[in-house]
Amino acid sequence: QVQLVESGGGSVQAGGSLRLSCAASEYRHLCMGWFRQAPGKEREGVATIAHDGATIYTDSVKGRFAISKDNSKNTLYLQMNDLSPSDSAMYYCAGGNVMYGCGPRSYFASWGQGTQVTVSS
């Protein structure tokens, strides 16, 4: 089972930036993504990246967040800029083996433990 470990969360003021990282025990996933869940809310797909680099973002983060990966380091990133209190949530990294149609509704077999992001106004 591939293990995913997130890091980079923290507390920032509105307008600030954070960069989340997700280290995989080995590269295997064809489709990877970042999800978030705030207290009392459903889990939301934030961004996904396919094996060919194609990305999908949820509307609320377009233009502010950027998902990327470094295959040589088996690491997934999420650069988050211009953060707002509504971005506060636990952020999870996930990996799956979907070859086509990688997106927030794809099946993700591996999940990390999450890293907390808190944005104050």
Side-chain angles (χ1 to χ4, degrees):
Q1 181 75 19
V2 178
Q3 292 185 334
L4 302 175
V5 179
E6 304 96 334
S7 62
S11 297
V12 296
Q13 291 190 328
S17 298
L18 284 172
R19 188 193 195 201
L20 305 183
S21 298
C22 172
S25 58
E26 60 182 282
Y27 174 71
R28 184 183 297 180
H29 301 112
L30 298 175
C31 173
M32 297 198 74
W34 287 99
F35 294 76
R36 65 186 180 187
Q37 187 167 21
K41 294 187 177 181
E42 292 188 355
R43 187 175 65 195
E44 174 188 29
V46 176
T48 57
I49 185 166
H51 62 92
D52 62 358
T55 57
I56 296 176
Y57 296 92
T58 191
D59 286 346
S60 64
V61 307
K62 287 180 180 177
R64 299 188 300 122
F65 289 13
I67 188 172
S68 62
K69 59 180 179 175
D70 186 335
N71 292 335
S72 67
K73 297 181 179 180
N74 294 343
T75 302
L76 179 73
Y77 301 100
L78 184 68
Q79 178 66 44
M80 305 186 295
N81 299 324
D82 192 21
L83 285 160
S84 70
S86 61
D87 294 315
S88 296
M90 184 71 78
Y91 282 72
Y92 298 90
C93 165
N97 291 320
V98 173
M99 175 66 79
Y100 302 106
C102 174
R105 291 198 173 97
S106 299
Y107 174 69
F108 292 89
S110 300
W111 291 83
Q113 294 299 308
T115 185
Q116 180 68 41
V117 172
T118 303
V119 185
S120 58
S121 58

